[in-house]
Amino acid sequence: MSIGGTARLARGKDVMAAVLDDTVMLMSAESDGYYGLDGVARAVWDRLETPATFDEVHAHLVAMFEHDPEAIRADLIAFVEDASAEGVLDVA
């Protein structure tokens, strides 16, 4: 799976989410796991209320956090790889 550019990112279909203070708590039926997202991971989850391309999410994070775009790209790739492996995100 190639992550980047025009790859379509979406929230996992079988993921339940609840907001607890500044954290989004997720439960994945696919992996039977619980996850807490805050900071940048929370920003990615919020942006994916509607599916978006990797580049759209990346641009959103760069504008939001005003940090080095390449560092954000590397962190986003790592997060998407982990989250998709756990069934929390779908990548197409």
Side-chain angles (χ1 to χ4, degrees):
M1 162 184 29
S2 176
I3 298 174
T6 59
R8 297 287 303 166
L9 309 180
R11 294 177 178 180
K13 292 175 182 65
D14 295 323
V15 177
M16 292 183 283
V19 176
L20 180 64
D21 296 323
D22 292 333
T23 303
V24 175
M25 300 302 298
L26 306 177
M27 187 183 92
S28 171
E30 181 177 315
S31 67
D32 227 13
Y34 292 90
Y35 310 92
L37 304 180
D38 58 10
V40 175
R42 163 92 192 255
V44 172
W45 184 260
D46 289 347
R47 173 60 185 86
L48 292 177
E49 184 173 347
T50 58
T53 66
F54 178 92
D55 283 348
E56 290 168 338
V57 175
H58 178 253
H60 173 76
L61 295 175
V62 169
M64 185 175 191
F65 291 101
E66 298 179 359
H67 190 64
D68 175 45
E70 289 309 309
I72 290 174
R73 179 176 300 280
D75 289 346
L76 180 56
I77 289 171
F79 173 72
V80 170
E81 287 174 342
D82 291 345
S84 63
E86 294 295 325
V88 173
L89 293 182
D90 292 330
V91 180

